[in-house]
């Protein structure tokens, strides 16, 4: 079955950096676009960055220029380099394959996520 295992979160001060990783299994990774989602306390989960199978990337405005999504299809992995972190970036971060509608996910299965906390 489809599985995602996210890692790399932690607690950092504003302006700090983290690199998240997600290992996927149960589907043909190399032909699928991938995305990073996040869910802040009291808010809905949102899609923040995507990378197509061919490597084209897209970011929502609030993370553009600070976050970089990348992938390694040999390792069935997708990464999120996060720089200049802000308190508003505090959330649990997840990966999945984006669905046809922005914000949706292709697979119903979700990993445990990785917690990112930004505070001084």
């Amino acid at each position: 079955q489809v599985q995602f295992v996210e890692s790399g979160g932690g607690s950092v001060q504003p302006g700090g950096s983290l690199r998240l990783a997600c290992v996927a299994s149960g589907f043909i990774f190399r032909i699928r676009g991938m995305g990073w989602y996040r869910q802040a306390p009291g808010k809905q989960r949102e899609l923040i960055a995507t990378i197509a199978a061919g490597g084209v990337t897209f970011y929502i405005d609030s993370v553009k220029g600070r976050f970089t999504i990348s992938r390694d299809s040999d390792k069935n992995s997708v990464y999120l380099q996060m720089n200049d972190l802000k308190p508003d970036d505090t959330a649990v971060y997840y990966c999945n394959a984006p669905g046809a509608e922005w914000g949706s996910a292709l697979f119903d299965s979700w990993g445990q996520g990785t917690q990112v906390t930004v505070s001084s």
Side-chain angles (χ1 to χ4, degrees):
Q1 71 274 28
V2 173
Q3 288 187 325
F4 302 101
V5 179
E6 299 92 351
S7 63
S11 295
V12 297
Q13 293 186 338
S17 298
L18 286 172
R19 185 174 188 254
L20 308 184
C22 167
V23 180
S25 61
F27 62 99
I28 304 175
F29 181 89
R30 60 180 174 81
I31 67 170
R32 290 291 179 193
M34 291 297 296
W36 280 97
Y37 301 71
R38 69 184 179 188
Q39 187 167 19
K43 295 186 177 180
Q44 288 192 328
R45 185 154 42 200
E46 64 173 343
L47 177 59
I48 64 170
T50 64
I51 183 165
V56 175
T57 59
F58 182 85
Y59 305 90
I60 61 171
D61 286 346
S62 61
V63 308
K64 196 177 299 181
R66 301 187 297 120
F67 291 9
T68 302
I69 188 171
S70 61
R71 64 188 294 158
D72 183 341
S73 291
D74 290 337
K75 296 181 178 180
N76 281 13
S77 295
V78 61
Y79 307 97
L80 188 68
Q81 176 67 44
M82 305 187 296
N83 298 327
D84 190 22
L85 283 160
K86 305 178 185 300
D88 283 350
D89 296 319
T90 295
V92 180
Y93 285 71
Y94 304 86
C95 67
N96 205 314
E101 183 177 335
W102 179 261
S104 67
L106 184 64
F107 299 112
D108 292 334
S109 298
W110 292 89
Q112 81 287 351
T114 187
Q115 174 71 49
V116 172
T117 303
V118 185
S119 71
S120 53

